[in-house]
């Protein structure tokens, strides 16, 4: 009959083991091995033993969290040709994709070579059927053409957060870039520096909203994040579903929205019934949308200057 004895450890040994475990310096061996002779070669770790991380190792590991920080493309953006106009919805279902497409159409009709960047995840894109001709996919984007000179780039693969949207594909011969942000204000606000969709410098910020209490309250919150741009006259608000500012309808409007109105930066567009606009397809948009979008283009050019001025 064999007997075994339980190994006993002192309080000091247990405290040292806990400290080593917390710092990542631990070994699967139950007791330290006493070595005699040559100093241990740290480049050859024994099997099952994890070496203590160096300072540089900690830094490199921190940069490789989930493999995203060191991934080229995510969170970076090269120079976008032409002024960048970022279009986003101040509230869900406001109609940002419709306004972005209508802006591109009227710019195209005015001879302005325009690209639309649809940064939404493919499952949530409002522009999937908006192209007349598909031009293939590359670098994480699927490209198509619409009208005489509108290029539409859509995200090709599923993405979960704005930081996963790839950097835009290079393109030549573009006077204006319209970014259909495709994410909620909250998602963009928490995306941080990892998302070019949220942080790329824009010549004009376009907020699309609806004329009711909750939407106007959310618009005020969105404008709080853009207060510097608003002060610099770089924000335009498009209210879908109203034809003018009425004191009764816009009674819930906050200070910043009223400031935008004083700057003549609040525009209006109709909310079309499904019969008039069943979806954003390859056909030209109804005149009820292109007319107010013409006013939006005019407002944008007062901020950016002539859009064809830098052609070579």
């Amino acid at each position: 009959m064999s007997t075994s004895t339980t190994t006993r450890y002192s309080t000091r040994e247990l405290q040292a083991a806990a400290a080593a475990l917390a710092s990542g310096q631990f070994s699967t061996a139950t007791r330290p091995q006493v070595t005699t002779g040559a100093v241990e070669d740290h480049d050859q770790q024994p099997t099952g033993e994890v070496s203590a991380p160096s300072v540089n190792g900690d830094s490199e590991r921190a940069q490789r969290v989930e493999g995203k920080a060191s991934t080229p493309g995510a969170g970076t953006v090269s120079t976008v040709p032409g002024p960048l106009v970022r279009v986003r919805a101040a509230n869900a279902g406001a109609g940002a994709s419709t306004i972005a497409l209508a802006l591109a159409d009227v710019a195209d009709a005015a001879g302005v070579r325009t690209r639309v960047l649809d940064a939404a995840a493919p499952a949530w894109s409002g522009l999937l059927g908006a192209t007349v001709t598909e031009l293939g996919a590359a670098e994480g984007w699927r490209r198509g053409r619409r009208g005489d000179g509108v290029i539409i780039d859509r995200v090709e693969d599923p993405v979960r957060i704005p930081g996963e949207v790839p950097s835009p594909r290079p393109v030549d011969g573009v006077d204006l870039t319209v970014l259909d942000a495709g994410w909620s204000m909250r998602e963009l606000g928490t995306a941080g520096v990892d998302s070019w969709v949220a942080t790329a410098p824009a010549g004009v910020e376009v907020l699309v909203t609806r004329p009711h209490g909750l939407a106007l309250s959310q618009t005020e919150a969105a404008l709080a994040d853009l207060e510097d741009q608003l002060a610099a006259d770089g924000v335009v608000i498009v209210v879908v579903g109203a034809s003018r500012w009425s004191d009764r309808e816009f009674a819930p409007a906050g200070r910043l929205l009223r400031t935008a109105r004083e700057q003549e930066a609040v525009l209006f567009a109709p909310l079309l019934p499904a019969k008039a606009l069943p979806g954003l397809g390859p056909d030209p948009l109804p005149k009820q949308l292109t007319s107010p979008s013409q006013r939006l283009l005019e407002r944008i050019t007062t901020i950016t200057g002539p859009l064809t001025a830098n052609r070579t």
Side-chain angles (χ1 to χ4, degrees):
M1 180 176 177
S2 61
T3 59
S4 60
T5 58
T6 302
T7 305
R8 297 177 180 270
Y9 297 93
S10 68
T11 301
R12 180 175 298 178
E13 286 176 317
L14 292 174
Q15 290 173 338
L21 180 62
S23 64
Q25 304 177 34
F26 59 89
S27 168
T28 56
T30 56
R31 287 184 180 273
Q33 297 180 355
V34 179
T35 60
T36 58
V39 177
E40 181 182 359
D41 183 0
H42 291 281
D43 291 334
Q44 299 179 357
Q45 294 296 333
T47 302
E49 189 170 333
V50 179
S51 62
S54 64
V55 173
N56 290 338
D58 286 341
S59 176
E60 292 171 359
R61 184 165 54 251
Q63 294 173 0
R64 294 195 302 268
V65 174
E66 297 183 0
K68 293 179 181 177
S70 60
T71 302
T76 62
V77 60
S78 57
T79 302
V80 175
L84 174 65
V85 175
R86 181 167 27 232
V87 182
R88 41 186 163 178
N91 38 79
S97 293
T98 302
I99 296 301
L101 189 63
L103 173 60
D105 279 0
V106 298
D108 184 38
V112 177
R113 302 170 301 186
T114 304
R115 171 168 69 163
V116 178
L117 290 170
D118 177 11
W124 298 97
S125 170
L127 302 179
L128 284 177
T131 58
V132 175
T133 305
E134 286 293 306
L135 303 176
E139 302 178 46
W141 294 87
R142 183 167 293 279
R143 177 166 290 175
R145 187 176 296 277
R146 173 187 177 86
D148 292 331
V150 177
I151 292 174
I152 299 180
D153 283 344
R154 308 183 309 274
V155 176
E156 181 181 15
D157 298 317
V159 291
R160 300 166 298 170
I161 55 175
E164 293 180 353
V165 176
S167 296
R169 288 175 60 180
V171 67
D172 295 322
V174 167
D175 303 313
L176 171 67
T177 297
V178 178
L179 170 59
D180 181 6
W183 300 84
S184 70
M185 291 297 299
R186 183 169 57 181
E187 289 167 324
L188 293 172
T190 58
V193 296
D194 288 337
S195 171
W196 69 267
V197 178
T199 61
V204 183
E205 299 278 0
V206 176
L207 281 180
V208 184
T209 188
R210 293 290 180 88
H212 56 75
L214 179 59
L216 296 177
S217 174
Q218 292 171 335
T219 302
E220 190 72 10
L223 286 171
D225 293 335
L226 299 172
E227 193 161 2
D228 291 342
Q229 293 92 321
L230 180 64
D233 202 24
V235 178
V236 181
I237 294 94
V238 178
V239 183
V240 175
S243 58
R244 62 183 179 85
W245 183 288
S246 69
D247 291 338
R248 180 178 179 180
E249 196 169 29
F250 287 86
R255 175 183 62 86
L256 296 176
L257 183 54
R258 294 179 183 277
T259 298
R261 186 199 177 200
E262 292 171 1
Q263 296 175 349
E264 298 183 348
V266 179
L267 306 179
F268 303 92
L271 178 61
L272 299 183
K275 184 177 180 180
L277 185 66
L280 299 179
D283 297 330
L285 293 174
K287 187 176 180 180
Q288 299 99 304
L289 281 176
T290 56
S291 294
S293 296
Q294 181 63 46
R295 291 190 288 273
L296 173 60
L297 179 63
E298 292 169 359
R299 176 64 186 177
I300 288 171
T301 55
T302 64
I303 300 171
T304 64
L307 295 171
T308 59
N310 296 324
R311 284 189 181 177
T312 56

